[in-house]
Protein backbone atom coordinates (compact mmCIF):
# COMPACT_ATOMS: atom_id res chain seq x y z
CA UNK A 1 0.00 0.00 0.00
CA UNK A 2 1.43 3.43 -0.92
CA UNK A 3 2.74 5.48 1.99
CA UNK A 4 1.78 9.03 2.91
CA UNK A 5 4.38 11.79 3.11
CA UNK A 6 3.46 14.49 5.62
CA UNK A 7 4.82 18.06 5.60
CA UNK A 8 4.07 19.94 8.85
CA UNK A 9 4.29 23.66 9.46
CA UNK A 10 7.65 24.55 11.02
CA UNK A 11 7.14 25.73 14.61
CA UNK A 12 10.72 26.80 15.35
CA UNK A 13 10.73 30.53 16.10
CA UNK A 14 11.36 32.58 12.94
CA UNK A 15 11.59 29.59 10.59
CA UNK A 16 9.89 30.37 7.27
CA UNK A 17 10.99 27.42 5.17
CA UNK A 18 8.83 24.44 4.31
CA UNK A 19 10.06 20.92 3.56
CA UNK A 20 8.43 20.54 0.16
CA UNK A 21 6.94 22.79 -2.52
CA UNK A 22 4.08 22.31 -5.01
CA UNK A 23 6.38 21.50 -7.95
CA UNK A 24 7.98 18.69 -5.96
CA UNK A 25 4.60 17.41 -4.72
CA UNK A 26 3.75 16.49 -8.32
CA UNK A 27 6.96 14.45 -8.60
CA UNK A 28 6.36 12.71 -5.27
CA UNK A 29 2.90 11.63 -6.39
CA UNK A 30 4.44 10.20 -9.57
CA UNK A 31 6.61 8.02 -7.32
CA UNK A 32 3.39 6.59 -5.89
CA UNK A 33 3.16 8.52 -2.61
CA UNK A 34 0.22 10.42 -1.19
CA UNK A 35 1.22 13.86 0.09
CA UNK A 36 -0.37 15.55 3.08
CA UNK A 37 0.52 19.17 3.93
CA UNK A 38 -0.47 20.95 7.12
CA UNK A 39 -2.66 23.97 6.61
CA UNK A 40 -0.56 27.12 6.19
CA UNK A 41 2.75 25.21 6.12
CA UNK A 42 4.02 27.10 3.08
CA UNK A 43 2.55 30.55 3.68
CA UNK A 44 5.75 32.07 5.08
CA UNK A 45 7.58 30.93 1.91
CA UNK A 46 4.78 32.23 -0.37
CA UNK A 47 3.32 28.80 -1.20
CA UNK A 48 -0.44 28.77 -0.71
CA UNK A 49 -2.62 25.84 0.30
CA UNK A 50 -4.42 26.15 -3.04
CA UNK A 51 -1.09 25.68 -4.86
CA UNK A 52 -0.49 22.46 -2.91
CA UNK A 53 -4.00 21.23 -3.69
CA UNK A 54 -3.52 21.96 -7.38
CA UNK A 55 -0.30 19.93 -7.31
CA UNK A 56 -2.12 16.90 -5.89
CA UNK A 57 -1.58 17.25 -2.12
CA UNK A 58 -4.20 17.02 0.60
CA UNK A 59 -4.36 19.63 3.37
CA UNK A 60 -4.38 18.55 7.03
CA UNK A 61 -6.21 20.93 9.40
CA UNK A 62 -3.56 20.81 12.14
CA UNK A 63 -0.30 19.19 13.24
CA UNK A 64 -1.99 16.38 15.19
CA UNK A 65 -3.95 15.28 12.14
CA UNK A 66 -0.85 15.38 9.98
CA UNK A 67 1.43 13.45 12.32
CA UNK A 68 -1.33 10.95 12.97
CA UNK A 69 -1.83 10.18 9.26
CA UNK A 70 1.67 10.44 7.81
CA UNK A 71 3.96 7.42 7.42
CA UNK A 72 6.91 9.63 6.40
CA UNK A 73 7.39 13.15 7.73
CA UNK A 74 9.54 15.71 5.92
CA UNK A 75 10.80 18.52 8.17
CA UNK A 76 13.35 21.31 8.04
CA UNK A 77 14.20 21.92 11.70
CA UNK A 78 14.57 19.13 14.30
CA UNK A 79 11.35 18.38 16.20
CA UNK A 80 10.80 20.60 19.22
CA UNK A 81 9.50 19.36 22.57
CA UNK A 82 5.86 19.89 21.60
CA UNK A 83 6.24 17.83 18.42
CA UNK A 84 7.97 14.81 19.96
CA UNK A 85 4.78 13.31 21.47
CA UNK A 86 3.15 13.46 18.01
CA UNK A 87 5.70 11.02 16.51
CA UNK A 88 4.02 7.62 16.03
CA UNK A 89 5.84 4.30 16.30
CA UNK A 90 7.07 3.25 12.88
CA UNK A 91 7.13 6.80 11.48
CA UNK A 92 10.07 7.71 9.25
CA UNK A 93 11.32 11.24 9.96
CA UNK A 94 13.52 13.03 7.41
CA UNK A 95 15.15 16.40 8.10
CA UNK A 96 17.94 18.22 9.91
CA UNK A 97 18.57 16.47 13.24
CA UNK A 98 22.19 17.30 14.25
CA UNK A 99 22.62 14.12 16.32
CA UNK A 100 25.89 15.21 17.93
CA UNK A 101 24.34 18.42 19.28
CA UNK A 102 20.96 16.89 20.26
CA UNK A 103 21.53 13.72 22.30
CA UNK A 104 18.27 14.19 24.25
CA UNK A 105 16.27 14.49 21.04
CA UNK A 106 17.93 11.32 19.74
CA UNK A 107 16.90 9.43 22.88
CA UNK A 108 13.36 10.78 22.63
CA UNK A 109 12.98 9.75 18.98
CA UNK A 110 14.43 6.34 19.73
CA UNK A 111 11.88 5.94 22.51
CA UNK A 112 9.11 6.64 19.98
CA UNK A 113 10.35 3.65 17.88
CA UNK A 114 10.86 5.91 14.86
CA UNK A 115 13.26 5.66 11.93
CA UNK A 116 15.17 8.92 11.54
CA UNK A 117 17.14 10.02 8.48
CA UNK A 118 19.29 13.05 9.36
CA UNK A 119 19.96 14.93 6.12
CA UNK A 120 22.85 16.70 7.86
CA UNK A 121 24.62 13.34 8.37
CA UNK A 122 24.75 12.51 4.66
CA UNK A 123 28.25 11.27 3.72
CA UNK A 124 29.28 14.10 1.41
CA UNK A 125 32.40 12.22 0.28
CA UNK A 126 30.20 10.10 -2.02
CA UNK A 127 29.79 11.72 -5.41
CA UNK A 128 26.29 10.29 -5.93
CA UNK A 129 25.20 11.84 -2.62
CA UNK A 130 25.68 15.37 -3.95
CA UNK A 131 22.15 15.54 -5.36
CA UNK A 132 20.82 14.94 -1.82
CA UNK A 133 23.24 17.33 -0.10
CA UNK A 134 20.95 19.82 1.62
CA UNK A 135 23.84 21.22 3.67
CA UNK A 136 25.48 22.48 0.49
CA UNK A 137 22.19 23.91 -0.81
CA UNK A 138 21.55 25.83 2.40
CA UNK A 139 25.16 26.95 2.74
CA UNK A 140 25.12 28.50 -0.73
CA UNK A 141 21.99 30.46 0.15
CA UNK A 142 23.49 31.52 3.49
CA UNK A 143 26.64 32.87 1.82
CA UNK A 144 24.63 34.88 -0.67
CA UNK A 145 22.30 36.24 2.00
CA UNK A 146 25.22 37.14 4.28
CA UNK A 147 26.51 39.58 1.65
CA UNK A 148 23.02 41.04 1.19
CA UNK A 149 22.70 41.59 4.96
CA UNK A 150 26.16 43.18 5.03
CA UNK A 151 25.24 45.50 2.14
CA UNK A 152 22.06 46.50 3.98
CA UNK A 153 24.00 47.42 7.11
CA UNK A 154 26.95 49.01 5.30
CA UNK A 155 26.93 52.76 4.81
CA UNK A 156 27.95 53.04 1.16
CA UNK A 157 28.34 51.30 -2.20
CA UNK A 158 30.21 48.05 -2.69
CA UNK A 159 31.61 49.08 -6.06
CA UNK A 160 33.86 52.08 -6.61
CA UNK A 161 32.41 55.02 -8.50
CA UNK A 162 33.56 58.37 -9.85
CA UNK A 163 30.75 60.91 -9.75
CA UNK A 164 30.37 64.65 -10.06
CA UNK A 165 30.18 64.74 -6.27
CA UNK A 166 33.50 62.95 -5.84
CA UNK A 167 35.24 59.60 -5.95
CA UNK A 168 33.84 56.63 -4.01
CA UNK A 169 36.35 53.83 -3.29
CA UNK A 170 35.21 50.20 -3.54
CA UNK A 171 34.41 48.33 -0.32
CA UNK A 172 36.91 45.77 0.93
CA UNK A 173 35.40 42.44 1.97
CA UNK A 174 37.30 39.75 3.87
CA UNK A 175 35.78 36.24 3.98
CA UNK A 176 37.09 33.87 6.64
CA UNK A 177 36.52 30.35 5.39
CA UNK A 178 36.13 29.34 1.75
CA UNK A 179 33.73 26.43 1.99
CA UNK A 180 30.43 26.42 0.11
CA UNK A 181 29.04 29.38 2.07
CA UNK A 182 32.31 31.28 1.84
CA UNK A 183 32.61 30.77 -1.91
CA UNK A 184 29.02 31.94 -2.39
CA UNK A 185 29.82 35.06 -0.38
CA UNK A 186 33.00 35.68 -2.37
CA UNK A 187 31.19 35.42 -5.70
CA UNK A 188 28.33 37.66 -4.59
CA UNK A 189 30.58 40.35 -3.13
CA UNK A 190 32.84 40.33 -6.20
CA UNK A 191 29.81 40.64 -8.50
CA UNK A 192 28.72 43.69 -6.51
CA UNK A 193 32.08 45.30 -7.26
CA UNK A 194 33.87 44.93 -3.94
CA UNK A 195 37.54 44.08 -3.46
CA UNK A 196 37.33 40.58 -1.98
CA UNK A 197 39.97 38.77 0.03
CA UNK A 198 39.55 35.33 1.57
CA UNK A 199 41.38 32.79 3.69
CA UNK A 200 40.92 29.11 4.42
CA UNK A 201 43.00 26.48 6.16
CA UNK A 202 42.70 24.29 3.04
CA UNK A 203 45.26 25.45 0.52
CA UNK A 204 43.50 23.68 -2.36
CA UNK A 205 40.63 26.21 -2.35
CA UNK A 206 42.93 29.07 -3.39
CA UNK A 207 42.19 28.52 -7.09
CA UNK A 208 38.44 28.50 -6.40
CA UNK A 209 38.71 31.82 -4.58
CA UNK A 210 40.66 33.33 -7.47
CA UNK A 211 38.22 32.01 -10.07
CA UNK A 212 35.36 33.81 -8.32
CA UNK A 213 37.17 37.15 -8.37
CA UNK A 214 38.73 37.05 -4.91
CA UNK A 215 42.29 37.19 -3.65
CA UNK A 216 43.48 34.32 -1.47
CA UNK A 217 45.32 35.48 1.65
CA UNK A 218 47.73 32.82 2.86
CA UNK A 219 48.70 32.32 6.48
CA UNK A 220 52.46 32.46 6.92
CA UNK A 221 52.60 28.96 8.41
CA UNK A 222 52.88 25.63 6.61
CA UNK A 223 50.25 23.13 7.71
CA UNK A 224 47.67 21.10 5.78
CA UNK A 225 44.12 21.95 6.88
CA UNK A 226 41.92 19.50 4.99
CA UNK A 227 39.67 17.31 7.12
CA UNK A 228 37.26 14.52 6.33
CA UNK A 229 34.07 15.01 4.34
CA UNK A 230 35.17 18.25 2.72
CA UNK A 231 35.47 20.09 6.03
CA UNK A 232 38.48 21.78 7.56
CA UNK A 233 40.23 20.29 10.58
CA UNK A 234 41.31 21.80 13.89
CA UNK A 235 44.71 23.40 13.34
CA UNK A 236 47.76 23.44 15.60
CA UNK A 237 48.39 26.25 18.08
CA UNK A 238 51.28 27.56 15.97
CA UNK A 239 49.04 27.87 12.93
CA UNK A 240 46.29 29.53 14.95
CA UNK A 241 48.69 32.18 16.25
CA UNK A 242 49.85 32.99 12.72
CA UNK A 243 46.23 33.03 11.58
CA UNK A 244 45.21 35.47 14.33
CA UNK A 245 48.02 37.82 13.32
CA UNK A 246 46.80 37.74 9.73
CA UNK A 247 43.17 38.32 10.80
CA UNK A 248 44.25 41.29 12.92
CA UNK A 249 45.83 42.89 9.86
CA UNK A 250 42.80 42.16 7.66
CA UNK A 251 40.44 43.59 10.29
CA UNK A 252 42.20 46.96 10.08
CA UNK A 253 41.87 47.07 6.29
CA UNK A 254 38.45 45.49 5.72
CA UNK A 255 35.11 47.27 5.59
CA UNK A 256 33.18 44.03 5.86
CA UNK A 257 34.16 40.69 7.41
CA UNK A 258 32.13 37.54 6.78
CA UNK A 259 33.04 34.52 8.90
CA UNK A 260 31.96 30.98 7.99
CA UNK A 261 34.31 28.76 10.02
CA UNK A 262 32.58 25.70 11.49
CA UNK A 263 33.64 22.13 12.21
CA UNK A 264 30.75 19.63 12.68
CA UNK A 265 30.15 18.64 16.27
CA UNK A 266 32.42 21.35 17.72
CA UNK A 267 31.86 24.92 18.93
CA UNK A 268 32.66 27.60 16.39
CA UNK A 269 36.32 28.69 16.58
CA UNK A 270 36.90 32.26 17.78
CA UNK A 271 38.62 34.07 14.92
CA UNK A 272 37.73 37.73 15.50
CA UNK A 273 38.58 39.09 18.95
CA UNK A 274 37.20 42.17 20.64
CA UNK A 275 40.53 43.90 20.02
CA UNK A 276 40.20 43.24 16.29
CA UNK A 277 36.70 44.72 16.33
CA UNK A 278 38.02 47.85 18.04
CA UNK A 279 40.65 48.21 15.30
CA UNK A 280 38.04 48.24 12.50
CA UNK A 281 36.88 51.45 10.88
CA UNK A 282 33.63 53.00 12.17
CA UNK A 283 30.68 51.84 10.08
CA UNK A 284 32.27 48.48 9.27
CA UNK A 285 30.19 45.30 9.33
CA UNK A 286 30.81 41.74 10.55
CA UNK A 287 28.45 38.95 9.48
CA UNK A 288 29.02 35.93 11.72
CA UNK A 289 27.56 32.92 9.93
CA UNK A 290 28.64 30.61 12.76
CA UNK A 291 26.49 32.40 15.35
CA UNK A 292 24.27 29.36 15.95
CA UNK A 293 27.30 27.44 17.27
CA UNK A 294 28.61 30.27 19.40
CA UNK A 295 30.05 32.52 16.70
CA UNK A 296 33.46 33.20 15.18
CA UNK A 297 33.48 36.71 16.65
CA UNK A 298 33.96 37.25 20.37
CA UNK A 299 31.26 39.94 20.48
CA UNK A 300 28.58 38.16 18.44
CA UNK A 301 25.10 37.94 19.97
CA UNK A 302 23.38 34.89 18.39
CA UNK A 303 20.19 35.83 16.59
CA UNK A 304 20.74 39.59 16.79
CA UNK A 305 22.48 42.47 15.05
CA UNK A 306 24.37 44.62 17.55
CA UNK A 307 26.75 47.59 17.33
CA UNK A 308 30.03 47.33 19.21
CA UNK A 309 32.79 49.97 18.97
CA UNK A 310 31.06 51.46 15.93
CA UNK A 311 30.97 48.09 14.12
CA UNK A 312 27.71 46.33 13.26
CA UNK A 313 27.95 42.64 14.17
CA UNK A 314 25.23 40.50 12.58
CA UNK A 315 24.63 37.15 14.24
CA UNK A 316 21.47 36.02 12.46
CA UNK A 317 20.86 32.26 12.69
CA UNK A 318 18.19 32.12 9.99
CA UNK A 319 20.00 33.26 6.87
CA UNK A 320 18.52 30.51 4.61
CA UNK A 321 15.07 31.28 6.03
CA UNK A 322 15.45 34.90 4.89
CA UNK A 323 15.27 33.56 1.33
CA UNK A 324 12.49 31.18 2.27
CA UNK A 325 11.03 30.48 -1.16
CA UNK A 326 14.39 29.75 -2.79
CA UNK A 327 15.66 27.75 0.19
CA UNK A 328 12.46 25.69 0.36
CA UNK A 329 12.66 24.86 -3.34
CA UNK A 330 16.26 23.65 -3.13
CA UNK A 331 15.64 21.72 0.10
CA UNK A 332 12.54 20.07 -1.35
CA UNK A 333 14.54 18.98 -4.38
CA UNK A 334 17.23 17.44 -2.13
CA UNK A 335 14.55 15.45 -0.28
CA UNK A 336 13.01 14.38 -3.58
CA UNK A 337 16.35 12.93 -4.72
CA UNK A 338 16.62 11.11 -1.39
CA UNK A 339 13.10 9.73 -1.84
CA UNK A 340 14.02 8.46 -5.29
CA UNK A 341 16.89 6.53 -3.71
CA UNK A 342 14.57 5.11 -1.06
CA UNK A 343 11.83 4.20 -3.56
CA UNK A 344 13.59 2.59 -6.50
CA UNK A 345 10.40 0.78 -7.56
CA UNK A 346 8.30 3.98 -7.80
CA UNK A 347 5.53 2.18 -5.93
CA UNK A 348 5.09 4.54 -3.00
CA UNK A 349 7.03 2.30 -0.59
CA UNK A 350 10.47 3.11 0.83
CA UNK A 351 13.31 0.76 1.67
CA UNK A 352 15.88 2.07 4.18
CA UNK A 353 18.71 -0.08 2.85
CA UNK A 354 21.45 -0.20 5.47
CA UNK A 355 23.79 -1.79 2.89
CA UNK A 356 23.76 1.44 0.86
CA UNK A 357 26.59 3.69 2.08
CA UNK A 358 24.66 6.92 1.47
CA UNK A 359 21.46 5.70 3.17
CA UNK A 360 23.40 4.09 6.02
CA UNK A 361 25.31 7.31 6.66
CA UNK A 362 22.23 9.48 7.15
CA UNK A 363 20.17 6.87 9.05
CA UNK A 364 20.76 7.82 12.68
CA UNK A 365 17.87 5.78 14.17
CA UNK A 366 16.42 2.58 12.68
CA UNK A 367 13.17 1.26 14.17
CA UNK A 368 13.99 2.80 17.53
CA UNK A 369 17.63 1.69 17.63
CA UNK A 370 20.25 4.45 17.52
CA UNK A 371 22.64 3.71 14.64
CA UNK A 372 24.67 6.90 14.81
CA UNK A 373 27.57 7.34 14.28
CA UNK A 374 27.82 5.16 11.19
CA UNK A 375 30.80 2.91 10.48
CA UNK A 376 33.62 4.37 8.37
CA UNK A 377 32.99 4.44 4.65
CA UNK A 378 34.73 1.93 2.42
CA UNK A 379 36.07 4.50 -0.01
CA UNK A 380 38.09 3.31 -3.01
CA UNK A 381 41.83 3.26 -2.49
CA UNK A 382 43.75 6.19 -3.98
CA UNK A 383 45.48 5.42 -7.28
CA UNK A 384 48.91 3.86 -6.96
CA UNK A 385 51.80 6.27 -7.53
CA UNK A 386 53.45 6.14 -10.90
CA UNK A 387 56.60 4.04 -10.97
CA UNK A 388 59.86 5.91 -10.98
CA UNK A 389 61.54 6.43 -14.31
CA UNK A 390 63.77 3.57 -15.34
CA UNK A 391 67.51 4.24 -15.23
CA UNK A 392 69.10 5.46 -18.43
CA UNK A 393 69.99 2.68 -20.82
CA UNK A 394 73.54 2.31 -22.12
CA UNK A 395 74.41 4.40 -25.15
CA UNK A 396 74.77 1.36 -27.38
CA UNK A 397 71.29 0.09 -26.44
CA UNK A 398 69.83 3.56 -27.13
CA UNK A 399 71.34 3.61 -30.60
CA UNK A 400 70.04 0.13 -31.39
CA UNK A 401 66.52 1.08 -30.21
CA UNK A 402 66.58 4.32 -32.20
CA UNK A 403 66.99 2.34 -35.40
CA UNK A 404 63.76 0.46 -34.72
CA UNK A 405 60.37 1.06 -36.34
CA UNK A 406 59.83 4.45 -34.70
CA UNK A 407 63.40 5.76 -35.03
CA UNK A 408 65.48 6.96 -37.96
CA UNK A 409 66.40 4.56 -40.74
CA UNK A 410 69.52 2.49 -40.53
CA UNK A 411 72.32 3.70 -42.82
CA UNK A 412 71.95 0.64 -45.08
CA UNK A 413 68.21 1.09 -45.48
CA UNK A 414 68.64 4.80 -46.18
CA UNK A 415 71.18 4.05 -48.91
CA UNK A 416 68.79 1.58 -50.56
CA UNK A 417 65.93 4.13 -50.54
CA UNK A 418 68.10 6.84 -52.08
CA UNK A 419 69.37 4.38 -54.65
CA UNK A 420 65.85 3.42 -55.71
CA UNK A 421 64.89 7.09 -55.90
CA UNK A 422 67.88 7.92 -58.07
CA UNK A 423 67.05 4.96 -60.39
CA UNK A 424 63.45 6.20 -60.68
CA UNK A 425 64.59 9.70 -61.64
CA UNK A 426 67.04 8.22 -64.19
CA UNK A 427 64.28 6.23 -65.87
CA UNK A 428 61.97 9.27 -65.93
CA UNK A 429 64.71 11.43 -67.44
CA UNK A 430 65.60 8.81 -70.06
CA UNK A 431 62.12 7.98 -71.36
CA UNK A 432 59.73 10.84 -70.40
CA UNK A 433 59.09 13.71 -72.87
CA UNK A 434 60.74 17.06 -72.18
CA UNK A 435 57.43 18.79 -71.28
CA UNK A 436 56.62 16.16 -68.68
CA UNK A 437 60.12 16.37 -67.22
CA UNK A 438 59.74 20.11 -66.65
CA UNK A 439 56.43 19.66 -64.86
CA UNK A 440 57.76 16.73 -62.86
CA UNK A 441 60.72 18.81 -61.66
CA UNK A 442 58.36 21.61 -60.55
CA UNK A 443 56.19 19.01 -58.74
CA UNK A 444 59.13 17.55 -56.80
CA UNK A 445 60.40 20.99 -55.81
CA UNK A 446 56.88 22.03 -54.80
CA UNK A 447 56.55 18.95 -52.55
CA UNK A 448 59.86 19.70 -50.88
CA UNK A 449 59.20 23.43 -50.44
CA UNK A 450 55.59 22.74 -49.37
CA UNK A 451 56.74 20.30 -46.71
CA UNK A 452 59.28 22.74 -45.33
CA UNK A 453 56.78 25.62 -45.33
CA UNK A 454 53.79 23.76 -43.88
CA UNK A 455 55.53 22.04 -40.99
CA UNK A 456 57.36 25.20 -39.97
CA UNK A 457 54.19 27.26 -39.52
CA UNK A 458 53.94 28.48 -35.91
CA UNK A 459 50.40 28.01 -34.55
CA UNK A 460 50.44 31.24 -32.54
CA UNK A 461 46.81 32.24 -33.04
CA UNK A 462 45.44 29.01 -34.52
CA UNK A 463 45.30 25.39 -33.61
CA UNK A 464 48.08 23.38 -35.28
CA UNK A 465 45.50 21.83 -37.64
CA UNK A 466 44.26 25.25 -38.74
CA UNK A 467 47.84 26.42 -39.29
CA UNK A 468 48.56 23.46 -41.57
CA UNK A 469 45.36 23.87 -43.57
CA UNK A 470 46.05 27.59 -44.08
CA UNK A 471 49.58 26.81 -45.28
CA UNK A 472 48.27 24.19 -47.72
CA UNK A 473 45.64 26.64 -48.92
CA UNK A 474 48.35 29.23 -49.59
CA UNK A 475 50.28 26.80 -51.80
CA UNK A 476 47.09 25.85 -53.67
CA UNK A 477 46.29 29.53 -54.16
CA UNK A 478 49.75 30.17 -55.66
CA UNK A 479 49.36 27.20 -58.01
CA UNK A 480 45.91 28.36 -59.11
CA UNK A 481 47.20 31.87 -59.82
CA UNK A 482 49.99 30.41 -61.98
CA UNK A 483 47.38 28.54 -64.00
CA UNK A 484 45.02 31.53 -64.32
CA UNK A 485 47.64 34.14 -65.27
CA UNK A 486 49.59 33.55 -68.55
CA UNK A 487 53.38 33.53 -68.38
CA UNK A 488 55.06 36.89 -69.00
CA UNK A 489 55.80 37.53 -72.65
CA UNK A 490 53.51 34.74 -73.74
CA UNK A 491 50.92 37.08 -75.23
CA UNK A 492 48.11 34.82 -74.10
CA UNK A 493 49.26 31.86 -76.13
CA UNK A 494 50.02 29.81 -73.03
CA UNK A 495 46.61 30.30 -71.40
CA UNK A 496 45.17 26.92 -70.30
CA UNK A 497 41.98 25.48 -71.78
CA UNK A 498 38.56 26.16 -70.28
CA UNK A 499 38.47 23.09 -67.96
CA UNK A 500 41.84 23.81 -66.35
CA UNK A 501 41.00 27.49 -66.07
CA UNK A 502 37.66 26.70 -64.41
CA UNK A 503 39.26 24.29 -61.94
CA UNK A 504 41.92 26.87 -61.09
CA UNK A 505 39.31 29.58 -60.44
CA UNK A 506 37.24 27.22 -58.23
CA UNK A 507 40.37 26.19 -56.30
CA UNK A 508 41.32 29.82 -55.81
CA UNK A 509 37.82 30.68 -54.49
CA UNK A 510 37.70 27.72 -52.10
CA UNK A 511 41.15 28.34 -50.68
CA UNK A 512 40.32 32.03 -50.17
CA UNK A 513 37.20 31.01 -48.20
CA UNK A 514 39.26 28.58 -46.12
CA UNK A 515 42.01 31.08 -45.37
CA UNK A 516 39.87 34.10 -44.53
CA UNK A 517 37.30 31.91 -42.77
CA UNK A 518 40.05 30.53 -40.56
CA UNK A 519 41.03 34.01 -39.46
CA UNK A 520 37.36 34.93 -38.84
CA UNK A 521 36.83 31.84 -36.69
CA UNK A 522 39.99 32.62 -34.75
CA UNK A 523 38.81 36.16 -34.03
CA UNK A 524 35.47 34.86 -32.75
CA UNK A 525 37.18 32.30 -30.52
CA UNK A 526 39.44 34.96 -29.03
CA UNK A 527 36.47 37.28 -28.51
CA UNK A 528 34.87 34.65 -26.25
CA UNK A 529 37.64 35.18 -23.71
CA UNK A 530 37.50 38.97 -23.71
CA UNK A 531 35.31 40.79 -21.19
Amino acid sequence: MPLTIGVPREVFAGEKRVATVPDVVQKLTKLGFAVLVEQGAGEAANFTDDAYRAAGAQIAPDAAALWGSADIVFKVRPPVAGELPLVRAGTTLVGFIWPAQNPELMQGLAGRKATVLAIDSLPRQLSRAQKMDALTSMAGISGYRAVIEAANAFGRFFNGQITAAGKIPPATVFVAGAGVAGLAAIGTAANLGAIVRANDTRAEVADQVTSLGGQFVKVDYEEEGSGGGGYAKVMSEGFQQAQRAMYAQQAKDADIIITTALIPGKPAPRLITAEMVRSMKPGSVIVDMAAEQGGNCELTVPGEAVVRHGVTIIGYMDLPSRLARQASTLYATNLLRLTEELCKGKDGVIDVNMEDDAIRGLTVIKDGAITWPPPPLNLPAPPAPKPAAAPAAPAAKKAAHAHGPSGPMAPGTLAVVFGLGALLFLLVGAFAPASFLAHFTVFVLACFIGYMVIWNVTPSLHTPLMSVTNAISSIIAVGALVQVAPPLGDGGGGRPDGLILGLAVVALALTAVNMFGGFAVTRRMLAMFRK
Side-chain angles (χ1 to χ4, degrees), residues 224-300:
E224 176 54 45
S226 296
Y231 296 99
K233 71 175 185 180
V234 178
M235 306 300 286
S236 67
E237 181 58 32
F239 181 92
Q240 293 181 34
Q241 289 181 0
Q243 186 183 55
R244 283 192 290 269
M246 183 269 291
Y247 282 167
Q249 180 60 46
Q250 292 298 323
K252 295 177 182 178
D253 297 337
D255 299 301
I256 295 168
I257 295 178
I258 298 175
T259 65
T260 69
L262 266 180
I263 298 175
K266 297 182 181 295
R270 290 297 170 87
L271 304 178
I272 308 298
T273 64
E275 184 61 34
M276 295 180 194
V277 175
R278 278 192 289 268
S279 71
M280 296 181 71
K281 292 170 281 190
S284 299
V285 179
I286 296 175
V287 182
D288 192 341
M289 296 180 61
E292 194 164 359
Q293 299 301 323
N296 295 136
C297 177
E298 189 177 350
L299 302 180
T300 296

Side-chain angles (χ1 to χ4, degrees), residues 10 12 75-80 83 93 95-98 102 105:
E10 296 295 324
F12 187 87
K75 273 186 62 58
V76 180
R77 293 277 185 171
V80 298
E83 292 177 305
L93 175 64
F96 286 102
I97 301 297
W98 307 108
N102 296 306
L105 174 63

